[in-house]
Amino acid sequence: MFTAYVVVAVLLSFVLVFSAYAKLVKEEEVTSTMVRLGVPLSWFPVLAGLEIAGALGLLAGIVYRPLGIAAGIGVTLYFLGAVLSHLRVKDVAGSPVPAVLTLVAAVPVILGVGTL
């Protein structure tokens, strides 16, 4: 289970860092989607910071599992919020990606608890 935790934590961390980068440079597709969801541009750095913190926490969880579990919970809630944001504006077509990421973010929590 430890190896599975490491693989999922590393892959999810890459996704989080890539997503944070897209927000920080205000990549056109990400910006238009977020604006359509009603997210103010001033929130982009905060959201990117949360994603980077989640990525670092997941990676730190390789060494200190409770931190990885806490980061996994935070990332799961982050993506759950993204799903709810899409559904709030009736953007059902945009909700599958954050829904899948919500489930993927829960995996390190489950694996982390299983290897304590």
Side-chain angles (χ1 to χ4, degrees):
M1 280 219 269
F2 174 73
T3 303
Y5 174 88
V6 171
V7 169
V8 174
V10 169
L11 292 176
L12 185 55
S13 293
F14 278 124
V15 170
L16 289 165
V17 169
F18 178 76
S19 178
Y21 174 79
K23 285 177 184 65
L24 289 173
V25 299
K26 293 187 176 63
E27 196 271 330
E28 186 177 332
E29 185 177 334
V30 171
T31 302
S32 65
T33 300
M34 301 277 286
V35 168
R36 189 176 71 247
L37 296 177
V39 178
L41 291 176
S42 63
W43 288 15
F44 280 37
V46 174
L47 295 173
L50 290 172
E51 289 175 325
I52 292 168
L56 292 174
L58 287 168
L59 295 175
I62 294 169
V63 177
Y64 183 64
R65 197 60 33 87
L67 185 56
I69 293 168
I73 292 169
V75 172
T76 301
L77 293 173
Y78 177 89
F79 284 119
L80 182 60
V83 171
L84 295 174
S85 294
H86 281 277
L87 295 178
R88 180 179 55 83
V89 297
K90 298 180 182 15
D91 180 23
V92 178
S95 62
V97 171
V100 168
L101 289 172
T102 301
L103 297 175
V104 171
V107 172
V109 176
I110 295 164
L111 293 173
V113 169
T115 59
L116 276 179

